[in-house]
Structures are given as C-alpha cells and as structure tokens.
Amino acid sequence: MAKISLGLGLYILLSLLCFHSVLIESAVSSIDLGSESLKVAVVNLKPGEIPISIAINEMSKRKSPALVAFHSGNRLIGEEAAGLVARYPDKVFSSFRDLICKPYEFAKNALAEMYLPFNIIDDPERNVVAINVNDRGDAVYSIEELVAMLLSFASRLAGFHVKNEVKDVVISVPPYFGQAERKGLMQAAELAGINVLALVNEHSGAALQYGIDKDFSNESRNVVFYDMGSGSTYAALVQFSAYKTKEFGKTVSVNQFQVKDVKWDPKLGGQDMELRLVEYFADEFNKQVGNGIDVRKSPKSMAKLKKQVKRTKEILSANTMASISVESIYDDRDFKSSVTREKFEELCKDLWERALIPLKEVLEHSDLQADDLYAVELIGGATRVPKLQAKLQEFLGRKDLDRHLDADEAIVLGASLHAANLSDGIKLNRKLGMIDGSMYGYVFKLNGSDLSKDETTRQLLVPRLKKLPSKMFRSIAHNKDFEVSLAYETENLLPPGVLSQTFAHYVVSGLTDASAKYSARNLSSPVKASIHFSLSRTGILSLDRADAVIEISEWVEIPKKNLTVENSTFASPDVSAEASSKNASEESDDSVLATGEGLGNSSELANDQNITDIFTVKKLKKRTFRVPLKITEKMLLPGKSVSSESLAKAKSKLEILDKKDTERRRTEELKNNLEGYIYATREKLDSDEFEKISSSQERQSFFEKLEQVQDWLYTDGEDASAAEFQQRLDSLKSIGDPIFFRYSELTARPEALQLARRYFDQLKQIVQDWETKKSWLPRERINEVLTYAEKVNTWLVEKEAEQKRTPVFSKPAFTSEELYRKVFDLQDKVASVNRIPKPKPKVEKAVKNETEGNDDNTDGSNSSSRDSIGSEGDKTTNDSKVSTEESSNAEQSDLHDEL
C-alpha cells in the first residue's frame, strides 16, 4: 500500500511542480548500481508522460540483475545472464561494485566467501583485480570495463523508455566509496559513453525523495536513513529545515537538508544472512549423502543452492517456516529440506547486534538520543527481515519504524531529482536544497628540498563532511620544485580494501626556473607557490593548478610636466601622466592618474599656458608575477587510473562487443519473427475464411513451403545469420502476402464502395447548394468537379463489373486503397471550390459640384455664428445625428448630406 501511494503521490506532485525546459525533448536519468541489481529512473518532459518513472527491462521488471555473462561466444547482460547462473556459475560475473579498484587479495577473499568461482587475475600495471572470462585466458576485462557494460545497458533501458537517446546521468554510490572507486566509476562511465552530471551518495538520494513533497517551514526534523542492502549497511543522519529568501520580490520559504553524519559497515548485508542459510543447508546435505562428500567443492551445486536460498529467505520474511528444493544439486541427487524463522534468526544471531552499530555510532557522534529523531526511514531490501526490524525497534524504543519510502527505488528516484536540478534542460519549480559532504577527511603533505618542518608536516585540507563541491587554496614560501601527496585523514577510516592512506602523488615543477629567472631583480618578499585544490560533485579530490607568485619592487622613472599660466594671479595644479603597458601576468599596486581639475578646456590651455620645464621623477613600484607551474600526477598502486592508451583500447573492444550484441539481438528477433510467422500462417490457412480467397492447390503449396522452412529453422537454421532469417521470411511473405491481402480486401473493398457511393450522393446536394447559395462560384470550376466525379464513377462501374468476373483467388480488379485515393482526390477538388470567397461589393463615392460646396461653406459659417448663440449640448447632438445619417446612406450617391 505504501508503494502504491508513493507512486501516485510522486506523479501528482511532479505534475504540480511543473517541470519546465527550453528543450521539450530533454531527458536525464539516474542509475542505482548495487551489488546484485541495478535500477534506472528517467526524467522525461514529453507531454502525457509521467515526469519521473522507472525504466523497465525486457522482462518488464523494475530492477535488473547486475550480471554480465560470456557464453558460446556471446555476451549477455541482466536478465539474459541471470538464466545461466545455475548452469554456468563460472561464466556469469557479478559483484562489480564491490570489486572496482580492489587489490587482488581482497577480491580473492571476498569472492571465496560468496562461493563465486571467477577466474580472477592481478593486473600488474595497476595492482587491482581483473577477470578472465574464458578458459583460454585471452579475454581479460578490467572491472571498469565490466561496469561500463552495465552502465551502457542501463543507458539503453533509459533510451528505450523515452524513445530517445539519454546521455546525461547521475549515478548513486555507497557513502564508503573512496577516491579510487569514484575515479574508477567515472572512467567506466566514460567507456560507456555517458555524461555523469554527479555521483550522489545513496543517503542523499533517499533524502531528496523523502523531502521533495514535504514542508519544513514550521520545524526542522532529524531523520535517520537506515539502509541495509545486499552487501553493505549504513545509517545516515539528515537534518531537514527551511530558510527564507527573496524570489520575484516576495519572501518565500525554501526547504533544504544537510547530511550531519554517516556511519557504515561495508561488509554486512543481506548476502551475509543468505550465506548463513547456505552453510546450514550445505552441512545438512553433506550429512544426508555421507561418504565424505562436500557440496561446497562444486561451484555449480553452490550456485543452485544459493539461488534457492535467496527465495527461502524472502519467504521467511512473511512466514514462520519455509521449504527448499534443489533438483540435481550434486551427482544427480535432489535436495529437499525446510527451516523455521526461529532457526534462521538463531543462525544470524551475531548479525543482529552488528547491524545496530552504524545507528548507535551516528547517535553517539551527533550527541543525540533516539527521542530526538523525528523518523527512522528503512531502505534497502534486507530491511524487510522481521528480526532486524524488531532489533531496531527495541533499540529505538519505538513500536513502529518509518517505511514511507520504497525500499528498492527511493535512492534511484531521489537521484533522478538531483539529475533534473543539475541538467541544463530541465528544472524543478519546487526546490529542495541539498548539502552533502565528503565522507572522508583528507590531508596533504609537501616534500622537497629546503622546505620548512611546518610545510612538510601533514596538514588537514578537507575536514570530514566538508560541503560538496568545494575549492581550497594553500600558499607556501618556497623557491624550488616540490611534491604534493594527498591522503586520507586517518588510518582508522579507510575505504574497504585500501591499505595505504596516501592515494595521490603530484610533482610540481617550474618553480626553480621561475625563481632563478626573477632572482636577480629586487624581490619585495620571498617567492611563494600557490596550490589550488577542488572537491568536485563526484567527491573526487584533485590538485587543479599551481602558480609561482613573485613580487618585485623597482624604481621607475616617471615623466612630469610643470605648467604655468601667463597673466594669471593663481597657480595651476601639476598634471602628471604615465604611459606604460603591463604584461597580462603582472599585477601592480601603483597607479598614477592625470587630472585637470580647476583648468579650462584644452584649447584654452594651449593658448594660455606655457611649458616652462620637463623632468622625470623616480617612484618605487611593486609588481606581482604569476607563473603557471607544471603538475605531473603519479598515480599510486593499487587503484591507479586506467591510462589514456588503455582507455582507447577498451573503448574499441567494447564497441566490437556492442556491435556483436546488436547483430545477435537482430538475429534473435528475426528468428522469432520467422517462427511466429510460420505458426500464425498455418493457423490462418486452416480457417474456412481463407478457402474463399485461395485455391486448394495454392494453400497446399504454401503449406509445403512453410513446413520446409520450419524444418530448416530447427536444423541448419539454429546458427543461421540475420540475413538468412530475413531471406526466408521474405520468401514466405512473397507467397502469403497476396493471399492475406485478398482476405483483407473481402471486407475492406465493400467498405470503400459504401463510402464512395455515399459521397457521390452528398456531392449532388453540395453542387445544388453551390448553384442556389453561392452564385459567385465560377461555372467552369463547378463543371470541373462534376467531370471528375463522373470520371471516378465510370471507373468504379467498370471495375465493379470486372471484379465480378475475377475469381476470388486471383488478383483483385481494384483495391480499397485505389478507391479511397480517388475519392479523396475528389474531396480535395470539392474543398478547393468551396473555399472560393464571395467577392466584395463595389462602393462608389458621391460626387459634389462646386456650387454645392460653396453653399456648404457659407451655411457652415452662418451656422457657426448661430451655434455660438445656442447651447453646446445642442451642437453635439446635431453633429452626432449628421454622422449617423452619413453612415447609413453611404451607398446612396444621389442623396445630399443633411445639415
């Protein structure tokens, strides 16, 4: 019920919010990439469409498995790959979000815990895990490439949903994603050919979805978003409030939220609960079979067991007991068992307490009590487990938890709102300000010769939860090249799998040369280096630029003129001017202004002044030079970004796969079309209606052709190309289309005849009305219509007679389309004549002779004197009467104006 009300409420809300855009066809999307599945939401501006909606996949499902499979020379993604998991667990790959930019040993242990038999290798250039997708070892893909395949798939879903290409996207990420993971995801998006507007933290997406339709002007709210997904858990404290601002001269209240704190456990999720059941049932099966058999050693057996366990866990969320049945789990043995909810909760006993830790830490760190929380919203699929909800209720002292958001779709829908706000083509009239911060604190350290101890000490650059995006600036007094290292603030808070705090290293060069160049001049202060950092919307910290700042003081000669005025009792002020040009990179704190206050214009000065002396003065002038420095980034292992050369090769590789996938999908579509055509046609030919328009010999021949193609389809046609399927489909249609056309004409032709006869009758009345009511219509145009109508009628009579002589299984003498075309042409001619406008009547102006004109003038003068005696009201009334009578008698030239 909550989900239904959410969807309806969102539709009504966004309809009232009135999206507006310069580009009507604008569309943006959001992608929620999880450990096991992905969701796609689209913001669409087409009239009649829901403004924000979930893009469904080919199976009409609202979320797709985050899987990529390589089997029989084909690449399969999403639902297609999911069908192979139980049979080919070593060829269906998953958990990419948890593997991106992870070192080999970390990934190896994580995959072993989940019984995923992937053939992984260590990428020596980057010291991160990569996956070999075949047994030959010649098809190795980086995790970025595999993620790019998923993102490209998600982009296609969005494009198919709006029937247009969608390239601008916001991608949600878990809060614990570090620098390497975020950069890796951005590179994956680049490989997929999509433009990432931002990487939004999952809790911010949920907060946007929560707050977009609420009013916080009366009070602020502290809300905790508790998310347990398949692979991780976090608790985020968000404060919602409102502030006053001016819009169009009016004071309005604008909602906003600020993320106060986030705590997480990146290794706790629904998968851990499922693994407890997997281990339980694996032990039970081993006991049933005996003989030292361990089902865990069979990847295929474990894949089958895991698939059924997931279903069993879902059943236990609504029932106190659930059964499990796995066919041919091991050595053609079937496995059947059951488990109670009580037993399941006992198996996960330690997980329940562990699940509370992020929530406890958030409250303790924020110095809040459970009673200070307005709501605790549950998101993530694993929060549906009753025991977890009970533990949360017990800790919070609440009878009910808040579940106003869709546990699966809240994040992706909120991220789509963020995408709409960031897009140039789409804007929301309803505003919700978002203040999110960096999930990690960052420090920087300088290294170089002659640096002071203070400068080489690690310094805090970005405190944790610093607002995104942000820019930072640091200045150091130094005159030699140096190095800059960026690192996480503390080793107690590092992203999963990260072993070193330092994640980036830069070499800044050019400072030594710049210092030497200007050292011979008079330096007013020591040479400095200014360093500029930025923390982008993606949460990625980078060193953007560095400059050498050099300040020089020099004595400069400035020409001056002494001016005197002849025969004057006052002294004129001095006038000084400086003519100099500055380099664009120079800055000066000195300026000399020319002034002429108290003097006349220039011509007066030229006449009245005599130049008595010209001399120069020296003035101390300070100049500041800014010289750009060269920055070379040295990526550190593990997590080194993919090089430009590797990116280009990866793009080519993915383009080949995309083309192959397109051809495969086209082949499958044509194969299905051919198969469907055969079955549908055979069914139609067996009906009585087709006996009326085809001979028995024709039908028999067609039957044989259909059987022949069907036999080929299930033998040699199994591996045929798209062109072969199209060729055979065309050959069948060349026989079937004439038959089906004759069948359709059995009803279409009589309908067309009825329409034509009815219109011929209407035409008689139309022509009669022309002659009686529209006498101005040219007779030749009317005759032209009548002639064409007679021509059509004659053609129709002849064709009807010919059709009666034509066998029903032969080509028709005429078609309904031909008749419709002729009738429509006749209607166009009638409409053309009907549009001829009625001519306007000719109006002749009255001609007055000169005598009458003179008399009028005389009378006018006399009447003028008389009018001066009468009242003004009488004059006005009389004038009005004359004007009215003139208007009514405009067409009668023989009448005179009445005075």
Side-chain angles (χ1 to χ4, degrees):
M1 185 66 186
K3 183 175 181 179
I4 295 175
S5 62
L6 168 70
L8 179 61
L10 180 65
Y11 174 74
I12 296 173
L13 167 70
L14 293 179
S15 298
L16 294 175
L17 291 183
C18 298
F19 281 96
H20 57 86
S21 172
V22 177
L23 302 175
I24 299 302
E25 296 297 324
S26 295
V28 294
S29 68
S30 60
I31 301 173
D32 179 14
L33 179 61
S35 298
E36 292 185 342
S37 63
L38 63 87
K39 279 83 68 178
V40 180
V42 183
V43 182
N44 185 20
L45 293 181
K46 288 185 178 179
E49 298 287 341
I50 297 177
I52 295 184
S53 55
I54 300 294
I56 60 175
N57 61 22
E58 68 275 17
M59 301 295 290
S60 297
K61 294 183 179 180
R62 297 171 70 87
K63 66 178 179 180
S64 303
L67 302 173
V68 178
F70 294 87
H71 178 62
S72 300
N74 294 320
R75 179 187 64 171
L76 308 171
I77 303 176
E79 296 288 354
E80 290 183 323
L84 301 176
V85 171
R87 289 179 292 164
Y88 306 100
D90 58 332
K91 298 183 183 299
V92 183
F93 306 98
S94 61
S95 301
F96 305 124
R97 191 190 76 170
D98 304 322
L99 296 177
I100 191 167
C101 293
K102 294 296 188 293
Y104 174 80
E105 288 298 328
F106 178 89
K108 180 181 178 181
N109 294 333
L111 294 175
E113 291 175 358
M114 293 185 289
Y115 295 102
L116 295 175
F118 302 162
N119 183 10
I120 62 173
I121 64 172
D122 188 2
D123 184 349
E125 293 184 2
R126 303 173 57 217
N127 195 26
V128 294
V129 66
I131 297 180
N132 180 17
V133 301
N134 63 21
D135 298 331
R136 299 187 303 273
D138 58 353
V140 176
Y141 291 94
S142 67
I143 303 300
E144 286 85 352
E145 290 172 325
L146 294 167
V147 171
M149 297 177 193
L150 289 177
L151 296 180
S152 181
F153 168 77
S155 180
R156 287 198 301 272
L157 289 183
F160 181 78
H161 186 72
V162 298
K163 305 298 185 292
N164 200 356
E165 191 176 50
V166 181
K167 290 297 184 182
D168 293 336
V169 63
V170 166
I171 303 175
S172 65
V173 295
Y176 54 81
F177 255 29
Q179 292 295 302
E181 293 92 339
R182 292 173 184 267
K183 289 179 181 178
L185 191 55
M186 291 296 292
Q187 288 196 315
E190 182 180 351
L191 288 174
I194 60 178
N195 176 43
V196 179
L197 299 174
L199 298 180
V200 63
N201 290 318
E202 290 177 350
H203 54 265
S204 291
L208 278 166
Q209 177 67 1
Y210 174 85
I212 190 63
D213 60 345
K214 294 177 175 61
D215 182 10
F216 307 106
S217 58
N218 294 328
E219 62 172 350
S220 62
R221 301 181 187 177
N222 289 321
V223 179
V224 166
F225 294 91
Y226 183 90
D227 183 354
M228 180 182 283
S230 60
S232 61
T233 301
Y234 65 81
L237 174 64
V238 179
Q239 185 180 69
F240 291 87
S241 60
Y243 64 94
K244 302 293 184 180
T245 186
K246 289 281 188 179
E247 285 189 2
F248 306 108
K250 295 182 179 180
T251 301
V252 297
S253 178
V254 179
N255 290 338
Q256 68 174 359
F257 72 83
Q258 182 175 2
V259 178
K260 291 297 186 178
D261 198 9
V262 187
K263 300 296 181 181
W264 56 77
D265 186 339
K267 296 182 180 181
L268 174 65
Q271 289 179 346
D272 296 270
M273 302 179 195
E274 294 168 13
L275 287 173
R276 297 297 172 90
L277 286 174
V278 168
E279 297 291 350
Y280 173 77
F281 288 124
D283 289 337
E284 185 173 339
F285 177 78
N286 291 340
K287 290 178 182 179
Q288 290 180 6
V289 178
N291 299 324
I293 292 177
D294 188 357
V295 71
R296 295 179 178 86
K297 295 181 180 179
S298 171
K300 186 177 294 187
S301 299
M302 294 304 290
K304 291 181 178 180
L305 182 58
K306 286 174 59 181
K307 182 178 180 180
Q308 294 302 319
V309 160
K310 182 180 290 294
R311 179 175 173 271
T312 300
K313 191 195 80 169
E314 293 173 355
I315 295 174
L316 286 175
S317 294
N319 300 274
T320 57
M321 187 184 73
S323 60
I324 184 172
S325 177
V326 187
E327 295 183 359
S328 301
I329 184 173
Y330 184 86
D331 197 19
D332 291 332
R333 297 174 185 266
D334 296 338
F335 174 64
K336 292 183 179 181
S337 183
S338 62
V339 64
T340 63
R341 182 191 291 179
E342 184 180 1
K343 183 61 178 179
F344 167 64
E345 293 173 354
E346 180 185 343
L347 293 172
C348 303
K349 183 178 181 179
D350 60 311
L351 300 183
W352 311 130
E353 294 300 324
R354 185 174 160 190
L356 296 177
I357 294 176
L359 180 57
K360 290 179 179 178
E361 290 180 345
V362 161
L363 293 177
E364 291 174 2
H365 187 264
S366 304
D367 197 22
L368 293 177
Q369 301 297 321
D371 293 340
D372 297 327
L373 301 179
Y374 179 87
V376 178
E377 290 286 345
L378 301 185
I379 52 178
T383 57
R384 295 187 177 96
V385 176
K387 184 63 175 179
L388 175 62
Q389 295 179 10
K391 294 296 291 185
L392 290 171
Q393 289 171 347
E394 179 184 348
F395 171 73
L396 295 168
R398 298 188 176 205
K399 293 182 179 180
D400 296 306
L401 297 173
D402 301 277
R403 283 171 286 180
H404 301 102
L405 301 177
D406 186 298
D408 292 322
E409 298 175 358
I411 293 172
V412 72
L413 289 173
S416 65
L417 290 169
H418 191 44
N421 274 327
L422 294 178
S423 171
D424 291 334
I426 302 173
K427 294 297 178 186
L428 277 172
N429 285 342
R430 181 88 177 247
K431 295 180 180 180
L432 178 60
M434 183 180 79
I435 305 175
D436 198 357
S438 172
M439 293 296 100
Y440 297 94
Y442 300 108
V443 297
F444 78 101
K445 183 179 180 181
L446 304 178
N447 186 26
S449 59
D450 298 335
L451 281 168
S452 66
K453 183 178 180 181
D454 292 340
E455 291 169 342
T456 58
T457 304
R458 289 164 58 98
Q459 302 178 40
L460 182 63
L461 179 64
V462 178
R464 187 169 184 268
L465 296 176
K466 183 178 179 64
K467 181 182 176 181
L468 297 175
S470 296
K471 292 184 178 295
M472 290 71 66
F473 163 78
R474 294 293 185 272
S475 178
I476 61 171
H478 193 55
N479 60 3
K480 294 182 180 179
D481 297 346
F482 60 96
E483 299 177 358
V484 181
S485 297
L486 298 178
Y488 295 101
E489 181 181 6
T490 172
E491 61 181 359
N492 296 326
L493 185 62
L494 295 176
V498 173
L499 302 177
S500 172
Q501 289 180 246
T502 304
F503 59 82
H505 191 82
Y506 302 90
V507 176
V508 181
S509 56
L511 183 58
T512 302
D513 294 340
S515 301
K517 178 180 178 181
Y518 292 95
S519 61
R521 304 172 73 171
N522 185 27
L523 298 178
S524 59
S525 62
V527 176
K528 296 184 180 69
S530 62
I531 316 170
H532 299 264
F533 303 89
S534 68
L535 188 63
S536 69
R537 293 187 187 277
T538 62
I540 296 175
L541 178 65
S542 61
L543 171 56
D544 294 337
R545 65 183 179 90
D547 301 319
V549 182
I550 302 168
E551 296 180 352
I552 297 175
S553 296
E554 295 180 320
W555 289 100
V556 179
E557 291 185 348
I558 300 176
K560 298 195 70 173
K561 297 178 182 179
N562 272 356
L563 304 178
T564 60
V565 180
E566 291 182 350
N567 302 324
S568 177
T569 59
F570 64 87
S572 65
D574 291 342
V575 178
S576 62
E578 177 186 353
S580 63
S581 61
K582 293 184 179 181
N583 187 285
S585 63
E586 296 181 16
E587 298 178 358
S588 176
D589 63 352
D590 178 50
S591 62
V592 181
L593 301 178
T595 177
E597 183 180 357
L599 298 180
N601 59 35
S602 59
S603 62
E604 291 175 341
L605 289 176
N607 295 331
D608 299 338
Q609 296 178 353
N610 292 324
I611 300 175
T612 60
D613 193 14
I614 298 177
F615 64 96
T616 60
V617 297
K618 287 187 176 182
K619 191 168 186 178
L620 188 63
K621 191 173 185 179
K622 184 193 296 183
R623 294 181 179 178
T624 302
F625 297 86
R626 295 185 179 274
V627 181
L629 302 178
K630 180 181 179 181
I631 299 175
T632 305
E633 184 176 7
K634 291 186 176 180
M635 298 302 298
L636 303 179
L637 302 177
K640 178 182 178 182
S641 297
V642 181
S643 64
S644 301
E645 296 78 9
S646 298
L647 275 177
K649 291 179 181 178
K651 281 186 178 180
S652 300
K653 188 163 55 172
L654 293 181
E655 287 173 359
I656 293 172
L657 287 174
D658 289 339
K659 290 179 181 178
K660 189 176 180 180
D661 284 353
T662 301
E663 181 64 20
R664 176 180 60 82
R665 286 192 291 269
R666 180 170 175 269
T667 300
E668 291 177 352
E669 181 181 0
L670 288 173
K671 182 179 180 180
N672 293 334
N673 291 344
L674 178 59
E675 186 176 30
Y677 184 85
I678 292 173
Y679 282 104
T681 302
R682 293 181 65 170
E683 183 178 351
K684 290 178 181 178
L685 291 179
D686 287 334
S687 63
D688 296 336
E689 288 81 359
F690 276 81
E691 293 182 1
K692 301 177 183 178
I693 44 82
S694 61
S695 64
S696 59
Q697 182 180 359
E698 185 179 24
R699 292 194 302 275
Q700 182 61 33
S701 175
F702 197 16
F703 266 120
E704 293 175 357
K705 182 66 173 177
L706 290 168
E707 289 181 356
Q708 178 185 348
V709 175
Q710 186 178 16
D711 292 340
W712 171 85
L713 182 63
Y714 297 127
T715 54
D716 297 338
E718 286 290 343
D719 299 322
S721 64
E724 291 178 287
F725 289 123
Q726 185 67 61
Q727 179 184 358
R728 280 168 172 75
L729 182 60
D730 291 341
S731 67
L732 292 179
K733 285 187 174 183
S734 65
I735 303 172
D737 285 356
I739 299 175
F740 298 142
F741 177 73
R742 295 199 300 269
Y743 178 74
S744 65
E745 284 294 296
L746 284 179
T747 55
R749 195 165 50 248
E751 291 176 358
L753 281 168
Q754 185 178 2
L755 180 143
R757 295 302 182 194
R758 188 164 58 248
Y759 187 69
F760 285 145
D761 293 339
Q762 293 174 359
L763 183 59
K764 295 178 182 178
Q765 183 63 42
I766 293 173
V767 174
Q768 185 178 350
D769 290 343
W770 285 351
E771 293 174 344
T772 58
K773 300 178 181 180
K774 296 186 176 184
S775 58
W776 65 85
L777 294 178
R779 190 65 206 180
E780 61 272 15
R781 295 293 300 275
I782 298 176
N783 291 337
E784 181 182 340
V785 170
L786 293 173
T787 301
Y788 186 75
E790 183 61 29
K791 182 179 179 181
V792 173
N793 188 51
T794 302
W795 174 86
L796 181 56
V797 171
E798 294 174 352
K799 288 298 181 180
E800 280 189 285
E802 183 181 350
Q803 181 62 40
K804 292 179 180 179
R805 300 190 300 268
T806 303
V808 291
F809 47 84
S810 299
K811 182 179 180 181
F814 73 101
T815 67
S816 59
E817 183 181 355
E818 290 176 301
L819 181 54
Y820 279 130
R821 191 180 302 117
K822 290 183 179 296
V823 173
F824 293 157
D825 289 343
L826 178 58
Q827 288 177 332
D828 289 341
K829 293 182 181 296
V830 171
S832 178
V833 174
N834 214 29
R835 284 194 296 267
I836 297 176
K838 180 180 180 180
K840 296 180 179 180
K842 296 181 179 179
V843 179
E844 297 182 1
K845 296 182 180 180
V847 179
K848 301 179 182 179
N849 54 41
E850 294 180 359
T851 304
E852 293 172 335
N854 293 335
D855 292 339
D856 290 343
N857 292 336
T858 304
D859 293 343
S861 61
N862 294 334
S863 64
S864 176
S865 62
R866 289 193 299 268
D867 289 342
S868 62
I869 301 173
S871 65
E872 288 293 327
D874 293 338
K875 179 179 179 181
T876 304
T877 305
N878 197 39
D879 289 345
S880 175
K881 179 178 179 182
V882 171
S883 176
T884 304
E885 290 179 350
E886 285 178 349
S887 175
S888 63
N889 299 322
E891 296 181 6
Q892 301 180 20
S893 59
D894 57 318
L895 298 179
H896 295 289
D897 294 337
E898 182 176 348
L899 299 179

